[in-house]
Amino acid sequence: MYVRSFADGNGDGTGDINGLRSRLRYLKELGIDAIWINPWYKSPLHDGGYDVSDYRVIEPRYGTVADAEALIADAHDHGIRLIIDLVPNHTSSEHAWFVEATQAQPGDPARQRYHIRKGRGVNGSEPPTNWTSVFGGPAWTRLDDGEWYLHLFDHTQPDLNWENPEVRSEFESVLRFWLDRGVDGFRVDVAHGLVKDMSFPDMDNSDQEILAGATQVDHPFWDLDGVHEIIRGWRTILEEYSLPGAERMMVAEAWVAAERLGNYLRPDEYHQSFNFDLLSSEWDAPSMRSIIAGACAQATSVGSTPTWVLSNHDVVRHATRYGLPSGTNWRRWLLEGPHDLLDAELGHRRARAAALTLLGLPGSSYIYQGDELGLPEVWDLPVEVLDDPVWEQSGHTRKGRDGCRVPLPWTPDGTSFGFGSNGSWLPQPPSFSALSAQNQTGNDASMLELYRRALSIRNEHLTMDESIRIIDSEPTVVAFERGSGVQCWLNLGDDPIRLPTNASVLLASEPIDKELPGNTSAWLTLPKTHTSSPR
Ligand code: NOJ
């Protein structure tokens, strides 16, 4: 949940904790069982809160620690667990440690909490390595005294040095601080990036976008073996706080090669790791089928459960991605177009079909706020309002992620469509009126009611037996059966296909009869087949 854009409780145009508390009932009625909340710590918000200046204080625009405690209690009263974001790879440049480091002399221990080094070349005027930032531009910025600090993201996000024992003990203490306040777990930011290998100064910098590059092996800062030891320490703390029925968990944001993901899921490491393969996949049946089969097999092999993600606060919303011609680089398309390539109606239809697939799968399905309303990417935000540091850091060559972070519409009218009482930090398009939660409630044909029905069926029939069997089907179809006997069929082609005879439809993304139209999905039940016993 992107708290900044969910609901604004105090009318300052920014979402906050009390706004979220006032919408817990909506979340309960939607049928979710946990919330992952993006960073809520004190922050200058240069990167939407992923630039933390104090890990034990709530950002004042979001509320206070007391509000956070009240939210945790309210969420638990609604039967909803709360997972918070842990940002251990970097702090904000406004964090007391970094301020101290920049005021200290070269060589001072205060500098050793970060990666601060002399440069190369004449007078050290070249950065220590040629690495580039994920957001574009060099990954090093020079301090006034001539040394350089590393930032894999924005220049306001200096990377911590995880070789330093002080960094390790500080994060263990932060973990305990929030566990003591009742959080149910952590989503760990850049989980694959904590350890750096400075003996590898020059690399091929061709592609450092957030979704790319991280899957290379032999990389100087992604997926180094040292990250696992750090995680094992955190897992021990979580076990200490876990009670039967109230376990504490960790989920990794690790953009690593599929065959390396299992390393993060060993029994003494993460409980889950996001699998971004579905999110990265084209609208293509063979690709989706093999991703589903592969992720389920991998989770089983390490005793974990699979995770599924179609969208999040870092990517173009899938209702828009699915409306673009196959092969479109949607990150570039945002800025470069051509925008008339977008078939928004098709994208919406496919997003409905994808929802039933996402929610039909075993394990944990992560829904990004607003997907349940069918929100599209707001791709035409004027550049003057862009807030994502990607826009500046990339030298205006990448538009960034604001288009999926536009505040949610709750009502068809009113200032900021019910998001708050006084506008919203990013402008909402007029089309948000029809997509507001209020407008969709009670309308059986709406995306919101589709999600509500799907989650209700999922909670009743699909969560007690996590097994899955892939069904042999036409080349354009992904079909699988869950342990309860419910089958999920997704037709990614344009032509209708025949459904199994005798199938009863539990739920479908479009009106259907005996055939499943193109770009449509359905959940089916079939009468049990009885084999006659031999005489
Ligand atoms: C991944 C987060 O999801 C993204 O929003 C953030 O910019 C980077 N990590 C850096 O913290």
Side-chain angles (χ1 to χ4, degrees), residues 422-445:
N422 197 14
S424 67
W425 69 278
L426 279 174
Q428 301 155 301
S431 61
F432 269 30
S433 168
L435 294 170
S436 65
Q438 188 182 314
N439 224 43
Q440 297 196 40
T441 297
N443 174 356
D444 283 348

Side-chain angles (χ1 to χ4, degrees), residues 181-194:
R181 274 154 192 79
V183 301
D184 297 285
F186 301 89
R187 173 268 189 191
V188 178
D189 190 54
V190 201
H192 57 308
L194 303 185

